[in-house]
Amino acid sequence: MSGLTLKQFQEQVSDLLLRHRSLLDVLSKAQQSNASVNRSVIKSVTECGCISLQANKQPYPDNVTLEEAKSLIQTHVNGTLCENCVDAITVQIGKHLFYLSAMCNLLDLDLDDILSKESQKCSTLGLFNLS
């Protein structure tokens, strides 16, 4: 599957999506799949323990450069995902991508175009993109 494009994946999803052709069904399945992604990540902390979280207030000093500030910001994640958790999370993200693609199909949206526009916006706005 190397070299698979978003467009090819979106077409494949269109061919496979039979049961949930209603936009409402797809929206609810996308929400459910998003929750499953979250649950898989949570299980890697609470059941497996391959990663742990230690959250606290992020430091934002006034007198540092942007690059220095980036190095100070933490992910709050300690450890690395084990092979089982990588597999479980990957499966759930794949399902979520399936329903995201299905939603795009039903709304006649092109995932490649969406990705391209978002990338262009990120390039243009830089750090101000998410503010």
Side-chain angles (χ1 to χ4, degrees), residues 38-56 58 74-81 89:
N38 293 344
R39 182 68 183 131
S40 294
V41 173
I42 290 166
K43 281 182 162 184
S44 68
V45 175
T46 61
E47 289 186 16
C48 178
C50 59
I51 61 172
S52 63
L53 303 176
Q54 182 178 353
N56 48 24
Q58 296 282 14
Q74 302 171 6
T75 65
H76 298 144
V77 177
N78 297 318
T80 52
L81 293 171
I89 294 168

Short mmCIF file of all heavy atoms in Angstrom, two decimals, residues 38-56 58 74-81 89:
data_model
loop_
_atom_site.label_atom_id
_atom_site.label_comp_id
_atom_site.label_asym_id
_atom_site.label_seq_id
_atom_site.Cartn_x
_atom_site.Cartn_y
_atom_site.Cartn_z
N ASN A 38 -9.30 7.87 21.64
CA ASN A 38 -9.00 8.39 22.98
C ASN A 38 -8.89 7.25 23.99
O ASN A 38 -7.98 7.22 24.82
CB ASN A 38 -10.07 9.39 23.43
CG ASN A 38 -10.06 10.65 22.62
OD1 ASN A 38 -9.10 10.94 21.91
ND2 ASN A 38 -11.14 11.41 22.70
N ARG A 39 -9.82 6.31 23.93
CA ARG A 39 -9.82 5.19 24.88
C ARG A 39 -8.56 4.33 24.73
O ARG A 39 -7.98 3.89 25.72
CB ARG A 39 -11.08 4.33 24.68
CG ARG A 39 -11.20 3.18 25.64
CD ARG A 39 -11.43 3.67 27.07
NE ARG A 39 -11.47 2.52 27.97
CZ ARG A 39 -10.79 2.46 29.10
NH1 ARG A 39 -10.07 3.47 29.52
NH2 ARG A 39 -10.86 1.38 29.85
N SER A 40 -8.11 4.12 23.51
CA SER A 40 -6.89 3.33 23.29
C SER A 40 -5.67 4.02 23.90
O SER A 40 -4.82 3.35 24.49
CB SER A 40 -6.65 3.13 21.79
OG SER A 40 -7.65 2.32 21.25
N VAL A 41 -5.60 5.32 23.75
CA VAL A 41 -4.48 6.06 24.33
C VAL A 41 -4.57 6.00 25.86
O VAL A 41 -3.57 5.75 26.54
CB VAL A 41 -4.47 7.53 23.84
CG1 VAL A 41 -3.42 8.34 24.59
CG2 VAL A 41 -4.23 7.59 22.34
N ILE A 42 -5.77 6.18 26.39
CA ILE A 42 -5.96 6.13 27.84
C ILE A 42 -5.58 4.76 28.39
O ILE A 42 -4.93 4.65 29.44
CB ILE A 42 -7.42 6.50 28.19
CG1 ILE A 42 -7.64 7.99 27.92
CG2 ILE A 42 -7.75 6.14 29.63
CD1 ILE A 42 -9.10 8.41 27.92
N LYS A 43 -5.95 3.69 27.68
CA LYS A 43 -5.60 2.34 28.14
C LYS A 43 -4.10 2.12 28.17
O LYS A 43 -3.59 1.35 28.99
CB LYS A 43 -6.25 1.29 27.23
CG LYS A 43 -7.70 1.04 27.51
CD LYS A 43 -8.21 -0.05 26.58
CE LYS A 43 -9.50 -0.65 27.07
NZ LYS A 43 -9.93 -1.77 26.21
N SER A 44 -3.35 2.78 27.28
CA SER A 44 -1.90 2.63 27.30
C SER A 44 -1.31 3.20 28.59
O SER A 44 -0.25 2.77 29.04
CB SER A 44 -1.25 3.26 26.07
OG SER A 44 -1.38 4.66 26.11
N VAL A 45 -2.05 4.13 29.21
CA VAL A 45 -1.62 4.68 30.50
C VAL A 45 -2.17 3.85 31.64
O VAL A 45 -1.43 3.41 32.52
CB VAL A 45 -2.09 6.15 30.65
CG1 VAL A 45 -1.75 6.69 32.04
CG2 VAL A 45 -1.50 7.03 29.55
N THR A 46 -3.48 3.61 31.63
CA THR A 46 -4.14 3.04 32.81
C THR A 46 -4.10 1.52 32.90
O THR A 46 -4.15 0.97 33.99
CB THR A 46 -5.62 3.48 32.86
OG1 THR A 46 -6.30 3.01 31.69
CG2 THR A 46 -5.72 4.99 32.96
N GLU A 47 -4.04 0.82 31.78
CA GLU A 47 -4.02 -0.64 31.81
C GLU A 47 -2.63 -1.21 31.52
O GLU A 47 -2.14 -2.05 32.25
CB GLU A 47 -5.05 -1.22 30.85
CG GLU A 47 -6.47 -1.02 31.33
CD GLU A 47 -7.50 -1.72 30.46
OE1 GLU A 47 -7.12 -2.61 29.67
OE2 GLU A 47 -8.68 -1.37 30.58
N CYS A 48 -2.03 -0.74 30.45
CA CYS A 48 -0.70 -1.26 30.08
C CYS A 48 0.39 -0.60 30.91
O CYS A 48 1.25 -1.27 31.46
CB CYS A 48 -0.45 -1.05 28.59
SG CYS A 48 1.19 -1.60 28.06
N GLY A 49 0.36 0.71 30.97
CA GLY A 49 1.36 1.44 31.72
C GLY A 49 2.65 1.71 30.96
O GLY A 49 3.63 2.16 31.54
N CYS A 50 2.65 1.46 29.64
CA CYS A 50 3.87 1.71 28.87
C CYS A 50 4.19 3.20 28.80
O CYS A 50 5.35 3.57 28.62
CB CYS A 50 3.77 1.09 27.48
SG CYS A 50 2.41 1.68 26.47
N ILE A 51 3.17 4.03 28.93
CA ILE A 51 3.41 5.46 29.05
C ILE A 51 2.71 5.96 30.31
O ILE A 51 1.76 5.33 30.79
CB ILE A 51 2.93 6.28 27.82
CG1 ILE A 51 1.43 6.13 27.60
CG2 ILE A 51 3.72 5.90 26.57
CD1 ILE A 51 0.86 7.06 26.52
N SER A 52 3.18 7.06 30.82
CA SER A 52 2.53 7.70 31.95
C SER A 52 2.44 9.19 31.66
O SER A 52 3.13 9.71 30.78
CB SER A 52 3.30 7.45 33.25
OG SER A 52 4.58 8.03 33.19
N LEU A 53 1.57 9.85 32.38
CA LEU A 53 1.37 11.28 32.18
C LEU A 53 1.70 12.02 33.46
O LEU A 53 1.37 11.57 34.56
CB LEU A 53 -0.09 11.57 31.81
CG LEU A 53 -0.62 10.87 30.56
CD1 LEU A 53 -2.09 11.17 30.36
CD2 LEU A 53 0.18 11.25 29.34
N GLN A 54 2.37 13.12 33.30
CA GLN A 54 2.65 14.01 34.42
C GLN A 54 2.41 15.42 33.91
O GLN A 54 3.26 16.03 33.27
CB GLN A 54 4.08 13.85 34.92
CG GLN A 54 4.37 14.72 36.11
CD GLN A 54 5.77 14.53 36.64
OE1 GLN A 54 6.51 13.67 36.20
NE2 GLN A 54 6.14 15.36 37.58
N ALA A 55 1.22 15.92 34.18
CA ALA A 55 0.83 17.23 33.66
C ALA A 55 0.99 18.31 34.71
O ALA A 55 0.72 18.09 35.89
CB ALA A 55 -0.63 17.18 33.18
N ASN A 56 1.47 19.44 34.24
CA ASN A 56 1.57 20.62 35.08
C ASN A 56 1.52 21.85 34.18
O ASN A 56 1.50 21.73 32.96
CB ASN A 56 2.85 20.59 35.93
CG ASN A 56 4.07 20.25 35.10
OD1 ASN A 56 4.09 20.45 33.89
ND2 ASN A 56 5.09 19.70 35.73
N GLN A 58 2.46 24.72 31.88
CA GLN A 58 3.56 24.89 30.94
C GLN A 58 4.29 26.20 31.23
O GLN A 58 3.65 27.23 31.48
CB GLN A 58 3.04 24.92 29.50
CG GLN A 58 2.40 23.63 29.05
CD GLN A 58 3.40 22.55 28.68
OE1 GLN A 58 4.59 22.62 28.98
NE2 GLN A 58 2.92 21.52 28.04
N GLN A 74 6.44 20.92 27.31
CA GLN A 74 6.47 19.48 27.51
C GLN A 74 5.22 18.82 26.92
O GLN A 74 4.18 19.44 26.80
CB GLN A 74 6.54 19.18 29.00
CG GLN A 74 7.75 19.78 29.68
CD GLN A 74 7.66 19.65 31.18
OE1 GLN A 74 6.75 19.02 31.72
NE2 GLN A 74 8.60 20.24 31.87
N THR A 75 5.36 17.54 26.60
CA THR A 75 4.22 16.76 26.11
C THR A 75 3.44 16.14 27.26
O THR A 75 2.33 15.66 27.06
CB THR A 75 4.68 15.61 25.20
OG1 THR A 75 5.45 14.69 25.97
CG2 THR A 75 5.48 16.13 24.01
N HIS A 76 4.02 16.12 28.43
CA HIS A 76 3.45 15.49 29.63
C HIS A 76 3.47 13.96 29.54
O HIS A 76 2.92 13.29 30.39
CB HIS A 76 2.03 15.98 29.93
CG HIS A 76 1.97 17.44 30.21
ND1 HIS A 76 0.92 18.22 29.81
CD2 HIS A 76 2.82 18.29 30.84
CE1 HIS A 76 1.12 19.46 30.19
NE2 HIS A 76 2.27 19.53 30.82
N VAL A 77 4.07 13.41 28.47
CA VAL A 77 4.12 11.96 28.28
C VAL A 77 5.50 11.46 28.69
O VAL A 77 6.52 11.98 28.22
CB VAL A 77 3.85 11.57 26.81
CG1 VAL A 77 3.98 10.07 26.61
CG2 VAL A 77 2.49 12.07 26.37
N ASN A 78 5.50 10.45 29.54
CA ASN A 78 6.74 9.78 29.93
C ASN A 78 6.69 8.35 29.40
O ASN A 78 5.67 7.67 29.54
CB ASN A 78 6.90 9.76 31.45
CG ASN A 78 7.01 11.16 32.03
OD1 ASN A 78 7.70 12.00 31.48
ND2 ASN A 78 6.32 11.40 33.12
N GLY A 79 7.79 7.90 28.82
CA GLY A 79 7.85 6.55 28.28
C GLY A 79 7.51 6.52 26.81
O GLY A 79 7.29 7.56 26.18
N THR A 80 7.46 5.32 26.26
CA THR A 80 7.09 5.14 24.86
C THR A 80 6.06 4.02 24.77
O THR A 80 6.03 3.10 25.59
CB THR A 80 8.31 4.76 23.98
OG1 THR A 80 8.98 3.65 24.57
CG2 THR A 80 9.28 5.92 23.85
N LEU A 81 5.23 4.11 23.76
CA LEU A 81 4.20 3.09 23.55
C LEU A 81 4.85 1.74 23.25
O LEU A 81 5.80 1.66 22.47
CB LEU A 81 3.30 3.47 22.39
CG LEU A 81 2.41 4.70 22.58
CD1 LEU A 81 1.73 5.08 21.26
CD2 LEU A 81 1.37 4.45 23.65
N ILE A 89 -3.75 1.55 19.00
CA ILE A 89 -4.02 2.94 18.66
C ILE A 89 -4.06 3.13 17.15
O ILE A 89 -4.92 3.83 16.62
CB ILE A 89 -2.99 3.87 19.33
CG1 ILE A 89 -3.16 3.83 20.85
CG2 ILE A 89 -3.11 5.30 18.81
CD1 ILE A 89 -2.03 4.48 21.63
#
